[in-house]
Amino acid sequence: MRHLTVQSVGTMPAVESIHAVAVYQKKDGRVCHLHHAITFAGAERRPRQEHERNARAYAEKLGHDPANLGVLHVPDFRPFARKYRVDLERKVLVEETVPEIRKKQKNNKGKKK
């Protein structure tokens, strides 16, 4: 497992937890926004509903249709990949490998939007 590095200037408290909310396309599990809520030592954790509301709002600002989106909460998140998708059957965050990404890009070429 990789360790999370939070860069800052000056003295910062230790990271106590990271709660991630993956906002994804319901049809294929593609993550369109991965929202991180970092709680530092001594701070109070915010409610899950607040994280979800913020994550959905940001995804909408990026132009995603909220009717097509699902959310997956990942408490105590530790980064393990460069790109993610949601496994729709197991409802877990998984790594999307480079061949999968390239295959999807190739299949989407020539499709009209």
Side-chain angles (χ1 to χ4, degrees), residues 20-100:
V21 180
V23 182
Y24 63 92
Q25 296 292 330
K26 290 179 185 176
K27 66 179 179 180
D28 61 8
R30 184 177 56 83
V31 173
C32 56
H33 176 57
L34 186 58
H35 190 80
H36 299 82
I38 301 172
T39 303
F40 292 98
E44 182 179 326
R45 289 186 188 205
R46 307 302 306 157
R48 287 171 56 104
Q49 300 90 333
E50 183 177 320
H51 299 320
E52 184 170 329
R53 185 173 53 252
N54 292 337
R56 284 182 175 276
Y58 195 78
E60 287 181 51
K61 283 182 185 179
L62 292 172
H64 298 284
D65 181 359
N68 298 326
L69 302 176
V71 296
L72 176 70
H73 288 264
V74 186
D76 298 319
F77 176 73
R78 295 290 179 250
F80 61 89
R82 293 178 67 197
K83 186 164 177 80
Y84 301 93
R85 68 177 173 78
V86 173
D87 181 315
L88 297 174
E89 289 182 15
R90 298 183 301 149
K91 298 293 186 211
V92 296
L93 200 59
V94 296
E95 179 177 13
E96 185 165 28
T97 62
V98 174
E100 289 174 335

